[in-house]
Amino acid sequence: DLVPCVLEKLTGRVVLDADALNVFQDRKTKLFSALHEKCILTPHTGEFKRLFGDFEDKVTATRQAADRTGAVIVHKGVETVIAAHDRVVKHQSGSPHLATAGTGDVLTGVIAGLVGQGMDTFRASCAAVWIHSRAAEQFGRGLTATDLPDLLTGVLNELSSS
């Protein structure tokens, strides 16, 4: 009950991930009616299916989910799809090294950090996915979520020097 209450009262940007999404698998309408254009949902495919059902085409399904909710959807995976009601981006250079516990939490934190600095929700989501993936590519095999924060700094420094 807390998530819809917060969304109703909060006019700023909000990022929802993991259990903030899973808790609504049997109450989707309650979540969807509380969402707005400043919300970002970051489901992996299992979480996405629990909320939106099975799908054949990830890009189409993610775009439809964004249309249905009014939120930005970051459908995580080796190919991450970021969709808003009016645009969609498919990030194909996702690293398989990110398929480990906690890395999605780091991505959520990067998105929140970027929107907290004033970046709009769609652009922040796209930038965060690229930064997150680039950090994983630089590390390679054996990556854990705790490795990512230090790697992110290097990627951000790389961006600012180019």
Side-chain angles (χ1 to χ4, degrees), residues 39 54 89 101 116 122 134:
C39 295
D54 287 328
V89 169
F122 185 79
R134 178 78 175 129

Side-chain angles (χ1 to χ4, degrees), residues 61-139:
T62 307
R63 179 64 180 268
Q64 289 171 344
D67 288 342
R68 183 174 180 187
T69 63
V72 171
I73 309 292
V74 179
H75 188 167
K76 301 179 293 193
V78 173
E79 293 182 344
T80 295
V81 177
I82 305 109
H85 69 91
D86 60 345
R87 51 200 157 162
V88 64
V89 169
K90 184 177 180 182
H91 180 76
Q92 292 182 301
S93 62
S95 173
H97 307 300
L98 289 169
T100 188
T103 58
D105 298 324
V106 176
L107 174 61
T108 298
V110 175
I111 294 169
L114 293 174
V115 297
Q117 294 178 61
M119 198 177 240
D120 83 53
T121 54
F122 185 79
R123 288 188 175 141
S125 298
C126 291
V129 166
W130 186 88
I131 292 165
H132 187 247
S133 178
R134 178 78 175 129
E137 289 170 5
Q138 289 180 350
F139 188 90

Side-chain angles (χ1 to χ4, degrees), residues 44-58:
H44 58 60
T45 297
E47 293 162 342
F48 186 92
K49 286 180 178 181
R50 283 191 281 280
L51 288 176
F52 302 104
D54 287 328
F55 59 89
E56 290 185 30
D57 178 70
K58 188 172 184 176

